[in-house]
Amino acid sequence: MFTVGSFSINANVTDPPFFEDDIILIEDSEVWITSSDLVYYNVSGTTALAALAAAARIGGFEYVVDDEWVDSFGLFVSEIAGQANEGMDGWQYWVNYPDEDIPMDAAEDYELQQGDTLDWFYGGYGISPDSSTMDIKLHIIKEEDSSPPTVDIMVPKQGGIYVNGRELIQLPLPFSIVLGQLNMMVTSSDVDTNIFKVSFLIDDIVKTNDIQTPYTFELSGHGSGLHVIAAQSYDGVKKTTTIERSVLFLSN
Ligand SMILES: [Ca+2]
């Protein structure tokens, strides 16, 4: 018997599985999967790998993705909930066991259908979800994301006057005033999917994108005068919301 997080697992017991739940995946969405080398991979949100990522989030367990063979075989799940692949044993997935054959596709390429049952299970050749020592059984529900994300500019505030990154005062002005260095800071969230990215624009031109919170952008060095800065947030299905702010840059 060993313990992973709040779960207790007995290696001899296969029923019930380690984790079982309904998993909602959003049609046409894309998610980021991070490898153990901290490389971000853009993966369809309705794949077997995206479903594992969603289950890990809900179940509060970790998983590790190895990208050593990404060019030939795709991404590789090397550990789930503290159980690492060892020797000939490893994590595999099966869709609609036992009615269908075990898939041969990379998990980030396998598109799940409404009502599919997905098992991520541990073991070697010939092991099935029923005979494995650890099984994550996911009942797939596919839904649509119909609403755009919310997005807000935290810095600079409207009417805020900033000198070298510090807010001095907030006045009832229709624009912000920025002297010297300042990091623009944005928050964004979405009820159905994740935030795919936040684009930062100055005068309608995209200057950079950020895919991780906190969403920030260095505002200095873009010329003095009155400009319109904007943050455009994209959710997991690329619905967007844009928020703008007028900023007077002084000797910038
Ligand atoms: Ca949305």
Side-chain angles (χ1 to χ4, degrees), residues 134-145:
M134 275 178 87
D135 180 25
I136 292 162
K137 189 177 285 292
L138 307 176
H139 306 282
I140 303 302
I141 299 165
K142 291 171 79 171
E143 292 184 355
E144 296 201 341
D145 178 344

Side-chain angles (χ1 to χ4, degrees), residues 145 147-148 190 193 235:
D145 178 344
S147 58
D190 190 75
T193 54
D235 69 12

